[in-house]
Amino acid sequence: MQSYTEENYLKTIYHLAEKTINVQTNAIAEQMQTKPASVTDMIKKLADKGLIDYIKYQGVTLTETGKNTAIDIVRKHRLWEVFLVDKLNFKWDEVHDVAEELEHIKSIELIERLDEFLGFPKADPHGDPIPDKNGRFAKTQFIKLIELKVGDSGTITGVSQHSSAFLKHLEKLGLTLGKQIQVSDVTDFDGSVEIQVSDKQVNISREVAKHILISSNGKN
Amino acid sequence: MQSYTEENYLKTIYHLAEKTINVQTNAIAEQMQTKPASVTDMIKKLADKGLIDYIKYQGVTLTETGKNTAIDIVRKHRLWEVFLVDKLNFKWDEVHDVAEELEHIKSIELIERLDEFLGFPKADPHGDPIPDKNGRFAKTQFIKLIELKVGDSGTITGVSQHSSAFLKHLEKLGLTLGKQIQVSDVTDFDGSVEIQVSDKQVNISREVAKHILISSNGKN
DNA sequence: AATAATTTTTAGATTTACCTAAAAATAAAA
DNA sequence: TTTTATTTTTAGGTAAATCTAAAAATTATT
Ligand SMILES: [Mn+2]
Ligand SMILES: [Mn+2]
Ligand SMILES: [Mn+2]
Ligand SMILES: [Mn+2]
């Protein structure tokens, strides 16, 4: 059994490992909003428990057990987010903090039944895949909107930034999950992208375009 | 902001205060499954925070703030229990431990929306009243089944024992909330009570009869 | 390769919630 | 009203998760 804190560390390491193979102390500290010294302490404990592999000064990687535990927490987080949005009418920018707490409730029965109650959803409100009870999920093939060329089209199926400010911005522009878009222009001056959504033209900055994930349905 | 542990202490003191005016250290220790010395430590902290009034060796009482906090936790506990039973199909004997964790999730928005989602229920799966968002609830007038005389009838509207063993036993006998009952006999030998429920005769021990709460609808 | 900058780890403390064992206060019995 | 039993509190300690400041290791730059 892991503590609330250990679970948060495992989840953080799991997410960081999606970007870099070896996860560094400083990266964990930044993500967890804590000090590198504290991270080192926790890293030792997790290594002792066999949840991570750790070589001094070389960063960490999750063991099989560690990875499974992390995925289980991610599963809970995302299922709770679906619950909050689908059943309690939260907006997609309001769910993160509450899910951050709910993900630590430890009943297995609870999460199985919640999954069923929600109709075994495959993705959370931000388009992130929900692992099934065995920890399996399809690694979705996304393209960043910024990578599309003029004329390319596709469907918004995810975001790689979960801040409330960003999500509210997208909402205001009508750029929500499932929306069909087409790139109509890329501005020379600042690289901002002009896109067609639901018969409207909207202009988004490069920064925004970087964090919108598209499942491409045809290049031209 | 209180810690998980402080909240559990407040809730325990609140429940004990329903029976005795001054709540004693030992009683808290027993309920919390901890040692009297630990209770004294916590009592001092809660008194410093203005959540309880405390005179050394004389036990404690909740302050207004302390009571409100406790009621809020009780509200969350009972709403989550309703959610588990009504929406996730848990049995009434399976919900306590999970609710014990869920009651500490601290979003106010969450609990308001959950309340609405559940249709503003007035009672939890064990018949206990659910305080509204202002902490108000009707003090229900229950009579213990054991206090009924032969011929008296009423409706099962609560239980004063939440153990899984007890609740499963009631379920097996068909003695669930809302059921109409009538006392047909009280055995001289062991004081066990014979009652009429849904055209069946069942015999229950004094111990069981003590923990079934009846809203009486007529003596004879 | 030597020096400087960065990253990571150790050392030593703090806070929270516990614990055991012993002392002090209160309540009950003789 | 002593004596005895019970309850409660203090004293002193442990374990988890954090911190700051300083030392050690690694990486980057001259
Ligand atoms: Mn989230
Ligand atoms: Mn999400
Ligand atoms: Mn309960
Ligand atoms: Mn209940």
Side-chain angles (χ1 to χ4, degrees):
Chain A
M1 189 92 298
Q2 292 80 224
S3 73
Y4 187 106
T5 311
E6 287 169 358
E7 289 188 350
N8 282 331
Y9 269 92
L10 289 174
K11 194 179 60 155
T12 294
I13 294 166
Y14 174 78
H15 285 312
L16 289 170
E18 290 173 327
K19 303 191 167 181
T20 51
I21 310 101
N22 256 48
V23 179
Q24 288 168 282
T25 304
N26 266 3
I28 299 172
E30 190 187 19
Q31 194 66 34
M32 298 280 299
Q33 310 234 68
T34 185
K35 297 287 134 77
S38 308
V39 174
T40 301
D41 285 347
M42 181 56 83
I43 272 175
K44 284 178 189 162
K45 199 209 291 194
L46 294 175
D48 284 347
K49 289 193 173 187
L51 296 163
I52 58 178
D53 290 318
Y54 169 50
I55 304 163
K56 267 189 190 175
Y57 292 99
Q58 298 314 134
V60 300
T61 53
L62 290 170
T63 62
E64 202 56 28
T65 328
K67 192 177 175 185
N68 289 339
T69 310
I71 288 175
D72 191 50
I73 301 158
V74 169
R75 168 170 156 79
K76 291 183 198 166
H77 184 102
R78 292 180 181 165
L79 280 173
W80 280 116
E81 285 190 346
V82 172
F83 170 71
L84 295 172
V85 169
D86 285 10
K87 303 295 182 182
L88 300 194
N89 299 115
F90 277 81
K91 300 272 185 58
W92 68 339
D93 61 290
E94 299 170 330
V95 297
H96 191 81
D97 292 348
V98 181
E100 210 58 44
E101 285 191 66
L102 285 164
E103 72 190 1
H104 301 289
I105 305 291
K106 46 185 179 304
S107 163
I108 294 166
E109 194 64 23
L110 172 64
I111 211 69
E112 306 285 290
R113 285 176 190 247
L114 181 65
D115 196 11
E116 185 182 356
F117 180 59
L118 298 171
F120 303 104
K122 292 278 174 293
D124 85 358
H126 313 103
D128 294 311
I130 299 177
D132 69 16
K133 67 165 151 251
N134 304 307
R136 278 187 277 270
F137 59 95
K139 293 234 168 32
T140 33
Q141 277 308 99
F142 290 145
I143 297 172
K144 292 175 184 163
L145 201 158
I146 192 82
E147 290 165 2
L148 296 185
K149 304 277 170 279
V150 173
D152 289 353
S153 67
T155 310
I156 301 178
T157 31
V159 289
S160 59
Q161 239 273 357
H162 292 188
S163 77
S164 186
F166 176 68
L167 297 174
K168 276 194 182 125
H169 181 57
L170 290 193
E171 185 110 45
K172 194 150 61 188
L173 296 172
L175 301 172
T176 49
L177 292 201
K179 284 285 171 67
Q180 188 73 20
I181 62 110
Q182 183 169 35
V183 175
S184 47
D185 195 23
V186 175
T187 315
D188 280 340
F189 175 61
D190 61 356
S192 67
V193 184
E194 192 159 87
I195 58 183
Q196 195 82 32
V197 216
S198 338
D199 296 335
K200 280 185 303 186
Q201 286 271 95
V202 299
N203 187 278
I204 58 177
S205 70
R206 282 182 60 79
E207 196 53 29
V208 167
K210 269 187 217 165
H211 294 297
I212 297 176
L213 304 174
I214 301 296
S215 71
S216 173
N217 55 348
K219 318 225 164 199
N220 84 336
Chain B
M1 190 90 297
Q2 291 81 225
S3 73
Y4 188 106
T5 310
E6 286 168 358
E7 289 188 349
N8 282 332
Y9 269 91
L10 288 175
K11 196 180 57 155
T12 294
I13 294 166
Y14 174 76
H15 285 311
L16 289 170
E18 290 174 327
K19 303 192 170 183
T20 51
I21 310 101
N22 256 47
V23 179
Q24 287 167 283
T25 304
N26 267 2
I28 299 172
E30 189 187 22
Q31 194 65 33
M32 298 280 299
Q33 311 234 66
T34 185
K35 296 287 133 80
S38 308
V39 173
T40 301
D41 285 348
M42 180 56 83
I43 272 176
K44 284 179 189 162
K45 199 209 291 194
L46 294 175
D48 284 348
K49 289 193 173 188
L51 296 163
I52 59 177
D53 291 318
Y54 168 50
I55 304 163
K56 266 189 191 177
Y57 293 98
Q58 300 313 133
V60 301
T61 53
L62 290 169
T63 62
E64 202 56 29
T65 328
K67 191 177 174 184
N68 289 339
T69 310
I71 288 175
D72 192 50
I73 301 158
V74 168
R75 168 170 157 80
K76 292 184 198 164
H77 184 102
R78 293 181 181 165
L79 280 173
W80 279 116
E81 285 190 346
V82 172
F83 170 70
L84 295 172
V85 168
D86 284 11
K87 303 295 181 180
L88 301 194
N89 299 117
F90 278 81
K91 300 270 185 59
W92 69 340
D93 61 291
E94 299 171 329
V95 297
H96 192 82
D97 291 348
V98 181
E100 210 57 44
E101 285 192 66
L102 285 164
E103 72 190 2
H104 301 289
I105 305 291
K106 47 184 179 300
S107 164
I108 294 167
E109 195 64 22
L110 172 63
I111 211 70
E112 306 285 290
R113 286 176 190 247
L114 181 65
D115 196 11
E116 186 182 356
F117 180 60
L118 299 172
F120 303 104
K122 292 278 173 293
D124 85 356
H126 313 103
D128 293 311
I130 299 176
D132 70 16
K133 66 165 152 253
N134 303 306
R136 279 188 276 271
F137 58 96
K139 295 231 169 34
T140 33
Q141 278 308 99
F142 291 146
I143 297 171
K144 293 176 185 164
L145 201 159
I146 193 81
E147 291 163 3
L148 296 186
K149 304 277 169 281
V150 173
D152 289 353
S153 67
T155 311
I156 301 178
T157 30
V159 290
S160 58
Q161 238 274 357
H162 292 187
S163 78
S164 187
F166 176 67
L167 297 174
K168 276 195 182 124
H169 181 56
L170 291 194
E171 185 110 44
K172 194 152 58 185
L173 297 173
L175 300 172
T176 50
L177 292 201
K179 284 284 171 66
Q180 188 74 19
I181 61 110
Q182 184 170 34
V183 174
S184 47
D185 195 23
V186 175
T187 314
D188 281 338
F189 175 61
D190 61 356
S192 66
V193 183
E194 193 159 88
I195 58 182
Q196 195 81 31
V197 216
S198 336
D199 297 335
K200 278 184 304 184
Q201 286 272 94
V202 298
N203 186 278
I204 58 176
S205 70
R206 283 182 59 81
E207 196 52 31
V208 167
K210 269 188 216 164
H211 294 298
I212 298 176
L213 304 174
I214 301 296
S215 72
S216 173
N217 54 349
K219 318 225 164 198
N220 84 332

